[in-house]
Amino acid sequence: MVSYVKAVAGASAIASLLPALAAYAQPAPTTGGTYYHALEAAVTCIDPPTQIFHVALNVGRQLVDSLVDQDPQTGAIVPWIAERWDISEDAQTFTFHLRQGSHFADGAPIDAAAVQANIDRIAALGPRAVGAAPLLIGYTGTEVIDPQTVRITFDRPAVQFLQALSGAWFGLISPNDLGKSADALCAGDFAGSGPFITASYQGDTEIVLQRRDGYDSHSSLAGHTGDAYVDALHLVVIPEAGNRAGAVQTGEVHSASNIAFQHVPVLEQLGLTLLSPHIPGMTESLIFNRETAIGQDDAVRQAIQHAINSEELIRTVWGPSWTPRTAVLSESTPGWADFSDLLTFDEGRANAILDEAGWLRGEDGFRSRDGQRLSVRIIMSSPASDQLVKQQLAAVGIDYNIERLDSATSTARVQAGEYDIYKWQMTRADPAILNAVWNSNRTSQGVARSPASELDDLLLVQESAIDTAARAAAAADVQRYLIENALVVPLVDRAWTYAIHPSGQGLRLDGETKLVFFDVFTDR
């Protein structure tokens, strides 16, 4: 491979490339070769339960299989390592019956004892399992019933747990490796249950995965049985969007993540396959820290909510694949309900709210009260939309103080609560993702730092309602409470675009839009 820095061809160059692209037929799957995919950011760790970043989980997903899978079309939970399962009427006990004859990459059996070791390891990690720990609240233990039967119990209804198990967070690692150091596990130095193993790890440039021989724990959604088609999978880090689009356009990589909307028309004209799924989970949002003066000021929170012009963000920054905000959950998430009537852009209303609350404009256009400037501190911001959000808030007299922090400093600030707003989005195809943020019982993702309130009761109902309709209604109640009280300001409903060159085939997405490379193959 070469330098991955070619820009997307302009319209004048399209005609010269079309004959070459048209020559690609839809080939039958072939075995062998190397598949290249462009990632959008560096990967600091690929130990799945300790990750929340999409790019890291996209890597970890290739190394580990889960007890169950989730159909991305229907949302249904389907068999994977577990052939079937039983859930108690109170949703506190989950019994899984495992398939016979499945093994980890080191040859160890994937049995009930291995499941127990993995779940107990995640529970013991506590807050260090930043992705998985919030999904284990109420966990009381795992019991081996027989070699192929395992029982997992909670001290409260845990309706969300079955879906949680489908994610890479709960992918299984050989018990022989669970005691390795955090650094070793982060670098992929473990035998997983998935179809690939780590050959080399340079998280800021390239991660190379090798096909695992003897793979035998396929999901019921897999496109074939046996080993993965390709010999090796190269996951190349290309942070610059234009270079990433250029690399997939010319075939330097077979596919690429996070294609910017400006590059979509050219790639479409060239006949590349483009996938633009709406990401399930929490929309891109401004989450207030309830322990700060700003986070406790109802007028400021309400004003910020009405000062945001979601349609302008899409038109200017994100492009037509993204959609305006309608709720706290994205429209592709079970439990979504439409609250767009409460999330209107109304600059006049925002100004009136602040005027009435005594936040008055100074000569510089920004507001103050009792000698205190109306300035909000935000961390974990995404540069793509920050400046436009800053402009929208400045229009109503709010100083949006963007802090560019490295990962270590940002983490320290979050742990210390030194921020007014945490700008974030989280991916999960279940409404319980809201519990991880707003439950007053601190979890590793409790960035809202919520006080105990009636919201806890609503979250409990949403998390534990067994009846599907009742759970959807409870999720709607939680979202209404969050929006009416302006505890969060949704910005946009996310859609990430993936591009696939005709020389690569078989790439698919799982139920949480993570990449699945098991079925990929290449004709060169």
Side-chain angles (χ1 to χ4, degrees), residues 411-476:
T411 299
R413 291 279 189 91
V414 170
Q415 291 175 346
E418 295 174 354
Y419 58 95
D420 297 309
I421 291 175
Y422 187 89
K423 186 179 180 187
W424 197 237
Q425 69 286 318
M426 288 193 291
T427 302
R428 191 187 172 194
D430 190 278
I433 196 167
L434 302 177
N435 298 59
V437 178
W438 281 283
N439 195 302
S440 65
N441 296 322
R442 290 285 185 266
T443 70
S444 56
Q445 296 173 14
V447 293
R449 305 178 80 90
S450 295
S453 71
E454 60 268 32
L455 177 59
D456 286 330
D457 297 328
L458 296 175
L459 289 167
L460 180 60
V461 174
Q462 185 274 126
E463 187 176 40
S464 60
I466 297 172
D467 178 76
T468 301
R471 191 158 189 247

Side-chain angles (χ1 to χ4, degrees), residues 280-354:
M282 194 182 77
T283 59
E284 180 156 320
S285 300
L286 306 179
I287 303 168
F288 290 99
N289 177 358
R290 297 297 310 287
E291 293 181 346
T292 69
I294 292 295
Q296 294 171 10
D297 192 315
D298 182 67
V300 172
R301 299 196 315 272
Q302 296 284 352
I304 291 175
Q305 190 173 85
H306 290 293
I308 293 298
N309 186 336
S310 183
E311 292 186 357
E312 184 182 28
L313 286 169
I314 291 167
R315 184 173 62 252
T316 306
V317 179
W318 297 116
S321 294
W322 296 51
T323 54
R325 58 184 184 172
T326 57
V328 187
L329 295 174
S330 72
E331 192 169 350
S332 60
T333 310
W336 169 84
D338 188 356
F339 294 104
S340 52
D341 59 325
L342 301 178
L343 292 169
T344 56
F345 166 58
D346 192 336
E347 190 174 299
R349 184 175 178 185
N351 277 312
I353 290 171
L354 292 172

Side-chain angles (χ1 to χ4, degrees), residues 28-48:
T30 56
T31 301
T34 300
Y35 189 99
Y36 290 84
H37 178 85
L39 299 174
E40 72 275 20
V43 180
T44 58
C45 179
I46 54 176
D47 180 18

Side-chain angles (χ1 to χ4, degrees), residues 158-485:
V159 177
Q160 59 83 28
F161 183 61
L162 187 64
Q163 189 281 331
L165 286 174
S166 70
W169 289 312
F170 287 95
L172 300 179
I173 293 172
S174 171
N176 296 325
D177 292 332
L178 293 178
K180 286 186 174 180
S181 70
D183 288 344
L185 292 171
C186 271
D189 182 16
F190 57 79
S193 47
F196 293 94
I197 58 176
T198 307
S200 68
Y201 174 80
Q202 297 293 329
D204 56 347
T205 56
E206 185 175 48
I207 300 168
V208 179
L209 305 183
Q210 179 182 330
R211 178 178 63 199
R212 169 191 158 195
D213 294 330
Y215 174 62
D216 54 13
S217 56
H218 317 81
S219 165
S220 58
L221 298 177
H224 75 287
T225 57
D227 297 340
Y229 289 131
V230 295
D231 293 329
L233 175 62
H234 286 236
L235 303 172
V236 186
V237 178
I238 308 179
E240 206 285 318
N243 292 342
R244 208 162 49 247
V248 71
Q249 173 192 314
T250 60
E252 293 180 61
V253 298
H254 298 98
S255 53
S257 296
N258 282 27
I259 298 298
F261 78 94
Q262 296 94 334
H263 303 140
V264 165
V266 169
L267 300 181
E268 284 183 326
Q269 285 182 275
L270 287 169
L272 274 70
T273 299
L274 294 169
L275 307 176
S276 296
H278 278 258
I279 311 301
M282 194 182 77
T283 59
E284 180 156 320
S285 300
L286 306 179
I287 303 168
F288 290 99
N289 177 358
R290 297 297 310 287
E291 293 181 346
T292 69
I294 292 295
Q296 294 171 10
D297 192 315
D298 182 67
V300 172
R301 299 196 315 272
Q302 296 284 352
I304 291 175
Q305 190 173 85
H306 290 293
I308 293 298
N309 186 336
S310 183
E311 292 186 357
E312 184 182 28
L313 286 169
I314 291 167
R315 184 173 62 252
T316 306
V317 179
W318 297 116
S321 294
W322 296 51
T323 54
R325 58 184 184 172
T326 57
V328 187
L329 295 174
S330 72
E331 192 169 350
S332 60
T333 310
W336 169 84
D338 188 356
F339 294 104
S340 52
D341 59 325
L342 301 178
L343 292 169
T344 56
F345 166 58
D346 192 336
E347 190 174 299
R349 184 175 178 185
N351 277 312
I353 290 171
L354 292 172
D355 288 340
E356 185 176 349
W359 289 103
L360 304 180
R361 286 186 186 269
E363 293 183 359
D364 62 356
F366 290 104
R367 296 176 180 272
S368 61
R369 186 175 65 187
D370 300 327
Q372 180 68 41
R373 184 183 178 90
L374 182 45
S375 177
V376 298
R377 302 167 299 165
I378 178 167
I379 59 174
M380 293 301 290
S381 53
S382 58
S385 61
D386 277 345
Q387 292 303 318
L388 185 52
V389 171
K390 183 179 180 73
Q391 293 171 22
Q392 291 178 356
L393 296 185
V396 298
I398 298 174
D399 180 12
Y400 187 70
N401 182 20
I402 302 168
E403 296 185 273
R404 304 288 186 212
L405 306 175
D406 59 40
S407 178
T409 305
S410 176
T411 299
R413 291 279 189 91
V414 170
Q415 291 175 346
E418 295 174 354
Y419 58 95
D420 297 309
I421 291 175
Y422 187 89
K423 186 179 180 187
W424 197 237
Q425 69 286 318
M426 288 193 291
T427 302
R428 191 187 172 194
D430 190 278
I433 196 167
L434 302 177
N435 298 59
V437 178
W438 281 283
N439 195 302
S440 65
N441 296 322
R442 290 285 185 266
T443 70
S444 56
Q445 296 173 14
V447 293
R449 305 178 80 90
S450 295
S453 71
E454 60 268 32
L455 177 59
D456 286 330
D457 297 328
L458 296 175
L459 289 167
L460 180 60
V461 174
Q462 185 274 126
E463 187 176 40
S464 60
I466 297 172
D467 178 76
T468 301
R471 191 158 189 247
D477 288 342
V478 170
Q479 293 175 86
R480 179 179 294 278
Y481 184 97
L482 292 170
I483 293 169
E484 288 183 339
N485 289 279

Side-chain angles (χ1 to χ4, degrees), residues 85-96:
W85 49 89
D86 306 302
I87 304 175
S88 63
E89 291 187 3
D90 61 5
Q92 292 183 213
T93 303
F94 297 75
T95 303
F96 294 94

